[in-house]
C-alpha cells in the first residue's frame, strides 16, 4: 500500500478491525519513510453477472436507483431505500459466491420491497418478471394478498 502522503511504496499494518458489520476490514497503517499514519478499508469484491454475460461490481446505489423509480410518487424515504439496499447486499453476500447472477439480485430485491410498499413491489415485479397481461397482475395481487394474510396471522399469533 502506497503512503498517501509521501507515496512510499510500502507501509506497516498497526491495527486491524472489523468494520461495516463484518463486511470490511479497517486497517490502521504506518509509513516507515515519513512516519505518518493512515487508514485503509478492505472489502471483498462482489460482482454481478448480467444476462449478457457482462460482469460489473455490485452497487447499493444502483439498487436504490432501480427501486426509487418503482417508488416514484409513493411515500418512501431515502433511509428506507438505503436499508432495503443493505438487506439486498447482505442476502446476496450470504450466498458465499463472489459472482452473483443479476436474476438473484432481482429476487433479493422483491422480498424487502414487498414489505416496504406493495404498489412499488407490483411496479418492480411487473418489469422484473415481464408481465404481459392483466392476468399477470391479478395473479401477483392474489399472491400478495395471501402473503399479507399469512403475515397478519403470524403477527396475531406472536402477540397472543
Amino acid at each position: 500500500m502506497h503512503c498517501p502522503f509521501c507515496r512510499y511504496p510500502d507501509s506497516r499494518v498497526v491495527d486491524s478491525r472489523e468494520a461495516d458489520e463484518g463486511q470490511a476490514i479497517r486497517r490502521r497503517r504506518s509509513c516507515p519513510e515519513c512516519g505518518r499514519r493512515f487508514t485503509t478499508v478492505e472489502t471483498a469484491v462482489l460482482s454481478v453477472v448480467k444476462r449478457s454475460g457482462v460482469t460489473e461490481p455490485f452497487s447499493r446505489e444502483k439498487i436504490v436507483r432501480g427501486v426509487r423509480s418503482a417508488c416514484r410518487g409513493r411515500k418512501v424515504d431515502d433511509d428506507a431505500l438505503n436499508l432495503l439496499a443493505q438487506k439486498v447486499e447482505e442476502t446476496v453476500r450470504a450466498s458465499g459466491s463472489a459472482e452473483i447472477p443479476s436474476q438473484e439480485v432481482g429476487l433479493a430485491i422483491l422480498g424487502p420491497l414487498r414489505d416496504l410498499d406493495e404498489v412499488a413491489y407490483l411496479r418492480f415485479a411487473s418489469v422484473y418478471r415481464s408481465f404481459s397481461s392483466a392476468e399477470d397482475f391479478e395473479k401477483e395481487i392474489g399472491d400478495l394478498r395471501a402473503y399479507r394474510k399469512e403475515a397478519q396471522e403470524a403477527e396475531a399469533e406472536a402477540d397472543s
Side-chain angles (χ1 to χ4, degrees):
M1 183 86 214
H2 288 269
C3 173
F5 305 107
C6 70
R7 305 300 302 155
Y8 189 73
D10 198 12
S11 63
R12 183 175 67 85
V13 175
V14 178
D15 182 40
S16 292
R17 297 179 187 205
E18 274 190 12
D20 203 14
E21 298 177 5
Q23 299 298 315
I25 296 176
R26 180 184 165 275
R27 297 198 194 278
R28 195 74 181 130
R29 296 177 175 270
S30 175
C31 175
E33 184 68 19
C34 69
R36 296 183 71 181
R37 291 185 172 202
F38 57 98
T39 301
T40 60
V41 178
E42 299 174 20
T43 58
V45 176
L46 178 63
S47 299
V48 177
V49 181
K50 312 213 29 129
R51 288 182 202 160
S52 65
V54 173
T55 302
E56 63 181 44
F58 177 86
S59 167
R60 281 189 190 180
E61 292 77 28
K62 192 167 181 179
I63 301 293
V64 169
R65 278 195 313 270
V67 173
R68 182 176 283 130
S69 66
C71 293
R72 191 167 290 125
R74 306 292 300 160
K75 292 184 179 178
V76 177
D77 65 4
D78 285 343
D79 288 341
L81 293 177
N82 289 325
L83 183 59
L84 181 140
Q86 180 181 343
K87 287 179 184 176
V88 170
E89 182 174 4
E90 289 170 357
T91 300
V92 297
R93 282 193 185 274
S95 74
S97 178
E99 289 188 342
I100 191 104
S102 60
Q103 180 78 9
E104 288 186 36
V105 175
L107 290 174
I109 291 170
L110 288 173
L113 184 56
R114 179 181 53 213
D115 296 333
L116 179 65
D117 187 277
E118 292 178 347
V119 172
Y121 167 79
L122 285 171
R123 288 175 178 169
F124 189 88
S126 71
V127 172
Y128 181 72
R129 294 186 174 150
S130 303
F131 288 5
S132 59
S133 67
E135 288 79 22
D136 293 337
F137 279 95
E138 288 172 353
K139 181 191 176 312
E140 196 64 41
I141 290 170
D143 292 347
L144 191 56
R145 286 183 176 143
Y147 172 79
R148 189 183 330 141
K149 183 178 178 183
E150 287 176 20
Q152 289 171 344
E153 288 171 355
E155 187 176 308
E157 189 175 301
D159 288 342
S160 55

